[in-house]
Amino acid sequence: MKKKVVLLFGGRSSEHEISCVTATGILGALDRDLYDPLMVGITKEGGFVHVNEDDVNFKLDPHNMPVVQDNGTRVFWPESAVSREMRVADVSGKISSLGQVDVVFPVLHGPFGEDGTIQGMLELLNIPYVGSGVLSSAMCMDKHIAKTILQSVGIDVAPWRSITLTEYKNLKDYSHLDEGLTYPIFVKPSRAGSSVGVSRVTEKAELKEAIEIAFKEDHTALIESGVIGREVEIAVLQGRPGMPPRASTVIGEIVFQGKDFYDYEAKYLGSEGVRLELPAKVSASELQLLSEQAIKAYKVLQCSGPARIDFFLTADGVILNELNTMPGFTPISMYPQLWHHSGLEYKELVTELIELATETVR
């Protein structure tokens, strides 16, 4: 019997549009001999709507960015953990069954989706889902927490400090915020992704504005030293029960050709100044070190399912930049491409993640 898979996409975060495109890619790769999809979109206001498959054909167009439209339907999750039945109210208010759900694939990026919130709801309802659990998702989403934990186990991270919005409002002197840090400084929201709200700061006079930009995305800002090194990425995938996590056998590299950093436009809208090299050229010892550090970080932060781990490869070793528990997942995104070059095709990867979700004990 086929498993019913809820593809949950959209969401309230600033990465709503990216999530829509991710859902399109995964829907197209779903093995219809094994799975029946149920498309559930989350509007920017947080409404759960039933979306027809034919309407899931989203593309990243700078002039017409995709969005989950509020079509007037409302999806209802199971009433308790003893049921897996989902229901929907149509535009007239008539309620009908959507059937029994086997697993949820939350293709959500950023807050309210990648940070443990949706994961907590699904665990409350005892519904299996793809990806990391509540604690892992929350830790990885919060850059300050993740860096603190990683540093405590001997994984190198860039020097940083964090400041909350409340602390910032009570400051009378901003001059000390860059103490001990090396320019260029990067200012980031502590809990956001896709480089939304990130600024590259080259002098002290720019710091205040950059922090205020970060606060538009989160109530904690991260102020971080720039690192001189190659920006490389590696993919990690949960092992089957009793088996260790797996790292991709190749890495990708972000090569800068004019841009100062890998911003939102470069990642998704095809702006010039950045080139992706995949597979990137590294030595066998560098690849081994990256793999070891990536798997160590994955295990320390208690990840499951997929993770893309970003490093700086420097003359003195590797510095972990960020860990993403629900990386971009279109067919051309870095995470699936890393596995493609490692011998695991996109459709097989989607199937593997769904099967892992059904076997994972939370």
Side-chain angles (χ1 to χ4, degrees):
M1 179 181 292
K2 293 183 184 180
K3 293 175 182 173
K4 180 159 287 188
V5 180
V6 175
L7 291 185
L8 186 61
F9 64 98
R12 289 177 51 201
S13 85
S14 54
E15 297 176 80
H16 178 104
E17 296 82 1
I18 310 305
S19 174
C20 292
V21 179
T22 296
T24 301
I26 292 176
L27 177 62
L30 208 63
D31 189 334
R32 297 306 179 95
D33 292 331
L34 300 175
Y35 311 115
D36 281 328
L38 173 58
M39 307 304 296
V40 177
I42 305 176
T43 68
K44 288 192 172 184
E45 295 71 36
F48 291 88
V49 299
H50 183 214
V51 182
N52 292 324
E53 282 186 51
D54 293 342
D55 295 328
V56 181
N57 188 27
F58 302 110
K59 297 179 175 62
L60 281 179
D61 179 352
H63 307 292
N64 185 26
M65 294 293 278
V67 65
V68 175
Q69 301 288 346
D70 192 339
N71 57 21
T73 64
R74 282 296 179 270
V75 171
F76 301 105
W77 294 90
E79 295 180 352
S80 72
V82 300
S83 171
R84 292 274 179 85
E85 183 184 19
M86 294 185 68
R87 297 175 300 150
V88 62
D90 64 18
V91 292
S92 71
K94 180 182 177 181
I95 296 177
S96 58
S97 176
L98 291 169
Q100 300 283 326
V101 171
D102 294 292
V103 63
V104 174
F105 201 140
V107 292
L108 298 162
H109 305 301
F112 309 110
E114 198 178 349
D115 62 352
T117 49
I118 283 292
Q119 291 79 7
M121 183 193 78
L122 295 172
E123 290 197 21
L124 183 66
L125 296 172
N126 196 32
I127 302 175
Y129 58 90
V130 173
S132 291
V134 175
L135 178 61
S136 176
S137 297
M139 290 191 297
C140 293
M141 191 73 217
D142 191 311
K143 297 178 181 66
H144 172 73
I145 296 298
K147 286 165 75 75
T148 301
I149 294 169
L150 293 169
Q151 188 178 63
S152 74
V153 297
I155 294 176
D156 289 333
V157 297
W160 88 99
R161 65 161 37 90
S162 62
I163 183 170
T164 67
L165 180 57
T166 301
E167 291 169 340
Y168 181 77
K169 286 181 175 178
N170 291 328
L171 277 182
K172 293 183 174 60
D173 178 14
Y174 303 95
S175 63
H176 70 284
L177 292 178
D178 60 353
E179 285 181 4
L181 302 179
T182 304
Y183 283 89
I185 284 172
F186 287 87
V187 180
K188 310 172 181 180
S190 191
R191 293 175 297 181
S194 295
S195 297
V196 177
V198 176
S199 301
R200 182 178 184 269
V201 175
T202 57
E203 57 186 49
K204 188 187 289 284
E206 302 169 343
L207 193 56
K208 187 173 184 292
E209 181 183 2
I211 292 171
E212 290 170 357
I213 290 172
F215 280 140
K216 292 178 181 178
E217 298 296 325
D218 190 27
H219 56 69
T220 302
L222 201 77
I223 308 167
E224 185 180 74
S225 286
V227 175
I228 297 174
R230 299 167 63 187
E231 292 199 25
V232 297
E233 303 180 344
I234 189 167
V236 180
L237 180 63
Q238 177 185 350
R240 290 292 180 128
M243 300 299 291
R246 299 159 272 179
S248 57
T249 58
V250 300
I251 66 165
E253 181 176 3
I254 303 158
V255 180
F256 296 93
Q257 299 174 313
K259 270 196 175 291
D260 291 323
F261 73 100
Y262 199 28
D263 60 10
Y264 183 95
E265 286 74 20
K267 286 180 178 179
Y268 301 115
L269 302 180
S271 68
E272 296 181 355
V274 171
R275 172 173 59 84
L276 300 182
E277 186 170 317
L278 203 166
K281 296 180 178 65
V282 291
S283 68
S285 60
E286 288 171 334
L287 178 59
Q288 181 179 353
L289 179 59
L290 286 163
S291 297
E292 290 172 352
Q293 291 290 288
I295 289 174
K296 181 178 179 180
Y298 183 95
K299 293 167 70 174
V300 165
L301 291 170
Q302 301 182 21
C303 298
S304 49
R308 193 197 73 238
I309 306 182
D310 306 341
F311 288 93
F312 296 105
L313 182 57
T314 76
D316 299 319
V318 298
I319 295 174
L320 195 149
N321 182 33
E322 196 170 303
L323 195 151
N324 300 272
T325 56
M326 188 48 68
F329 222 100
T330 69
I332 61 170
S333 296
M334 181 69 88
Y335 184 83
Q337 279 296 304
L338 285 165
W339 284 114
H340 164 73
H341 285 275
S342 300
L344 184 63
E345 297 302 326
Y346 187 65
K347 185 173 183 177
E348 296 169 340
L349 177 60
V350 170
T351 298
E352 179 71 0
L353 285 169
I354 293 171
E355 294 306 307
L356 284 167
T358 64
E359 297 173 351
T360 299
V361 178
R362 302 289 179 183

mmCIF file of all heavy atoms in Angstrom, residues 270-290:
data_model
loop_
_atom_site.group_PDB
_atom_site.id
_atom_site.type_symbol
_atom_site.label_atom_id
_atom_site.label_comp_id
_atom_site.label_asym_id
_atom_site.label_seq_id
_atom_site.Cartn_x
_atom_site.Cartn_y
_atom_site.Cartn_z
ATOM 1 N N GLY A 270 20.129 34.475 -9.300
ATOM 2 C CA GLY A 270 21.075 34.422 -10.410
ATOM 3 C C GLY A 270 21.875 35.681 -10.630
ATOM 4 O O GLY A 270 22.316 35.948 -11.753
ATOM 5 N N SER A 271 22.085 36.487 -9.587
ATOM 6 C CA SER A 271 22.881 37.697 -9.767
ATOM 7 C C SER A 271 24.329 37.321 -10.051
ATOM 8 O O SER A 271 24.813 36.261 -9.654
ATOM 9 C CB SER A 271 22.791 38.596 -8.529
ATOM 10 O OG SER A 271 23.436 37.992 -7.431
ATOM 11 N N GLU A 272 25.026 38.212 -10.746
ATOM 12 C CA GLU A 272 26.400 37.940 -11.136
ATOM 13 C C GLU A 272 27.351 38.139 -9.960
ATOM 14 O O GLU A 272 27.019 38.753 -8.964
ATOM 15 C CB GLU A 272 26.793 38.847 -12.306
ATOM 16 C CG GLU A 272 25.973 38.585 -13.564
ATOM 17 C CD GLU A 272 26.387 39.483 -14.717
ATOM 18 O OE1 GLU A 272 27.249 40.364 -14.495
ATOM 19 O OE2 GLU A 272 25.854 39.313 -15.829
ATOM 20 N N GLY A 273 28.552 37.599 -10.105
ATOM 21 C CA GLY A 273 29.578 37.808 -9.111
ATOM 22 C C GLY A 273 29.903 36.591 -8.267
ATOM 23 O O GLY A 273 30.820 36.621 -7.455
ATOM 24 N N VAL A 274 29.146 35.493 -8.470
ATOM 25 C CA VAL A 274 29.384 34.270 -7.704
ATOM 26 C C VAL A 274 29.261 33.082 -8.648
ATOM 27 O O VAL A 274 28.365 33.027 -9.496
ATOM 28 C CB VAL A 274 28.367 34.133 -6.545
ATOM 29 C CG1 VAL A 274 28.489 32.755 -5.902
ATOM 30 C CG2 VAL A 274 28.594 35.212 -5.502
ATOM 31 N N ARG A 275 30.161 32.130 -8.475
ATOM 32 C CA ARG A 275 30.107 30.898 -9.266
ATOM 33 C C ARG A 275 30.190 29.718 -8.304
ATOM 34 O O ARG A 275 30.933 29.736 -7.330
ATOM 35 C CB ARG A 275 31.283 30.864 -10.254
ATOM 36 C CG ARG A 275 31.450 29.566 -11.008
ATOM 37 C CD ARG A 275 32.534 29.699 -12.073
ATOM 38 N NE ARG A 275 33.825 30.056 -11.514
ATOM 39 C CZ ARG A 275 34.697 29.184 -11.006
ATOM 40 N NH1 ARG A 275 34.397 27.885 -10.974
ATOM 41 N NH2 ARG A 275 35.862 29.597 -10.534
ATOM 42 N N LEU A 276 29.407 28.677 -8.568
ATOM 43 C CA LEU A 276 29.447 27.462 -7.759
ATOM 44 C C LEU A 276 30.291 26.419 -8.482
ATOM 45 O O LEU A 276 30.042 26.117 -9.656
ATOM 46 C CB LEU A 276 28.038 26.926 -7.522
ATOM 47 C CG LEU A 276 27.070 27.864 -6.803
ATOM 48 C CD1 LEU A 276 25.724 27.180 -6.606
ATOM 49 C CD2 LEU A 276 27.634 28.310 -5.469
ATOM 50 N N GLU A 277 31.269 25.894 -7.788
ATOM 51 C CA GLU A 277 32.121 24.848 -8.354
ATOM 52 C C GLU A 277 31.813 23.535 -7.663
ATOM 53 O O GLU A 277 31.960 23.404 -6.453
ATOM 54 C CB GLU A 277 33.594 25.214 -8.171
ATOM 55 C CG GLU A 277 34.537 24.245 -8.873
ATOM 56 C CD GLU A 277 35.964 24.751 -8.888
ATOM 57 O OE1 GLU A 277 36.171 25.949 -9.141
ATOM 58 O OE2 GLU A 277 36.864 23.925 -8.620
ATOM 59 N N LEU A 278 31.359 22.574 -8.464
ATOM 60 C CA LEU A 278 30.946 21.296 -7.888
ATOM 61 C C LEU A 278 31.191 20.179 -8.902
ATOM 62 O O LEU A 278 30.667 20.239 -10.006
ATOM 63 C CB LEU A 278 29.455 21.360 -7.533
ATOM 64 C CG LEU A 278 28.909 20.412 -6.458
ATOM 65 C CD1 LEU A 278 27.528 20.874 -6.026
ATOM 66 C CD2 LEU A 278 28.845 18.988 -6.957
ATOM 67 N N PRO A 279 32.021 19.202 -8.553
ATOM 68 C CA PRO A 279 32.769 19.094 -7.295
ATOM 69 C C PRO A 279 33.962 20.046 -7.256
ATOM 70 O O PRO A 279 34.570 20.328 -8.281
ATOM 71 C CB PRO A 279 33.225 17.634 -7.283
ATOM 72 C CG PRO A 279 33.287 17.240 -8.719
ATOM 73 C CD PRO A 279 32.217 18.018 -9.420
ATOM 74 N N ALA A 280 34.255 20.525 -6.066
ATOM 75 C CA ALA A 280 35.380 21.429 -5.879
ATOM 76 C C ALA A 280 36.673 20.629 -5.750
ATOM 77 O O ALA A 280 36.666 19.461 -5.364
ATOM 78 C CB ALA A 280 35.166 22.275 -4.636
ATOM 79 N N LYS A 281 37.749 21.276 -6.066
ATOM 80 C CA LYS A 281 39.060 20.625 -5.994
ATOM 81 C C LYS A 281 39.620 20.764 -4.572
ATOM 82 O O LYS A 281 39.906 21.867 -4.106
ATOM 83 C CB LYS A 281 40.017 21.253 -6.997
ATOM 84 C CG LYS A 281 39.614 21.056 -8.455
ATOM 85 C CD LYS A 281 40.614 21.706 -9.397
ATOM 86 C CE LYS A 281 40.231 21.468 -10.847
ATOM 87 N NZ LYS A 281 38.947 22.116 -11.198
ATOM 88 N N VAL A 282 39.752 19.630 -3.895
ATOM 89 C CA VAL A 282 40.381 19.594 -2.571
ATOM 90 C C VAL A 282 41.255 18.349 -2.509
ATOM 91 O O VAL A 282 41.054 17.391 -3.258
ATOM 92 C CB VAL A 282 39.335 19.545 -1.434
ATOM 93 C CG1 VAL A 282 38.588 20.858 -1.326
ATOM 94 C CG2 VAL A 282 38.378 18.385 -1.603
ATOM 95 N N SER A 283 42.191 18.370 -1.610
ATOM 96 C CA SER A 283 43.044 17.203 -1.436
ATOM 97 C C SER A 283 42.294 16.127 -0.670
ATOM 98 O O SER A 283 41.261 16.382 -0.035
ATOM 99 C CB SER A 283 44.313 17.594 -0.674
ATOM 100 O OG SER A 283 43.984 17.943 0.666
ATOM 101 N N ALA A 284 42.816 14.923 -0.708
ATOM 102 C CA ALA A 284 42.192 13.813 0.019
ATOM 103 C C ALA A 284 42.171 14.093 1.525
ATOM 104 O O ALA A 284 41.190 13.788 2.207
ATOM 105 C CB ALA A 284 42.950 12.512 -0.260
ATOM 106 N N SER A 285 43.235 14.713 2.028
ATOM 107 C CA SER A 285 43.284 15.006 3.474
ATOM 108 C C SER A 285 42.291 16.100 3.844
ATOM 109 O O SER A 285 41.674 16.057 4.917
ATOM 110 C CB SER A 285 44.700 15.409 3.889
ATOM 111 O OG SER A 285 45.128 16.559 3.185
ATOM 112 N N GLU A 286 42.112 17.088 2.976
ATOM 113 C CA GLU A 286 41.125 18.144 3.232
ATOM 114 C C GLU A 286 39.709 17.582 3.219
ATOM 115 O O GLU A 286 38.884 17.919 4.082
ATOM 116 C CB GLU A 286 41.267 19.258 2.193
ATOM 117 C CG GLU A 286 42.510 20.113 2.372
ATOM 118 C CD GLU A 286 42.744 21.051 1.210
ATOM 119 O OE1 GLU A 286 42.293 20.760 0.078
ATOM 120 O OE2 GLU A 286 43.403 22.097 1.422
ATOM 121 N N LEU A 287 39.423 16.716 2.251
ATOM 122 C CA LEU A 287 38.099 16.098 2.183
ATOM 123 C C LEU A 287 37.830 15.253 3.423
ATOM 124 O O LEU A 287 36.727 15.291 3.994
ATOM 125 C CB LEU A 287 37.980 15.236 0.919
ATOM 126 C CG LEU A 287 36.653 14.492 0.740
ATOM 127 C CD1 LEU A 287 35.480 15.463 0.697
ATOM 128 C CD2 LEU A 287 36.687 13.629 -0.525
ATOM 129 N N GLN A 288 38.826 14.518 3.862
ATOM 130 C CA GLN A 288 38.664 13.687 5.051
ATOM 131 C C GLN A 288 38.393 14.555 6.284
ATOM 132 O O GLN A 288 37.508 14.250 7.093
ATOM 133 C CB GLN A 288 39.908 12.835 5.291
ATOM 134 C CG GLN A 288 39.783 11.918 6.514
ATOM 135 C CD GLN A 288 41.017 11.051 6.720
ATOM 136 O OE1 GLN A 288 41.928 11.032 5.897
ATOM 137 N NE2 GLN A 288 41.049 10.326 7.830
ATOM 138 N N LEU A 289 39.129 15.651 6.420
ATOM 139 C CA LEU A 289 38.941 16.543 7.565
ATOM 140 C C LEU A 289 37.545 17.159 7.541
ATOM 141 O O LEU A 289 36.857 17.217 8.578
ATOM 142 C CB LEU A 289 40.007 17.638 7.554
ATOM 143 C CG LEU A 289 39.927 18.676 8.685
ATOM 144 C CD1 LEU A 289 40.031 18.005 10.055
ATOM 145 C CD2 LEU A 289 41.022 19.730 8.511
ATOM 146 N N LEU A 290 37.114 17.617 6.376
ATOM 147 C CA LEU A 290 35.781 18.206 6.256
ATOM 148 C C LEU A 290 34.704 17.176 6.601
ATOM 149 O O LEU A 290 33.736 17.492 7.304
ATOM 150 C CB LEU A 290 35.565 18.749 4.843
ATOM 151 C CG LEU A 290 36.308 20.045 4.505
ATOM 152 C CD1 LEU A 290 36.365 20.258 2.998
ATOM 153 C CD2 LEU A 290 35.643 21.235 5.188
#
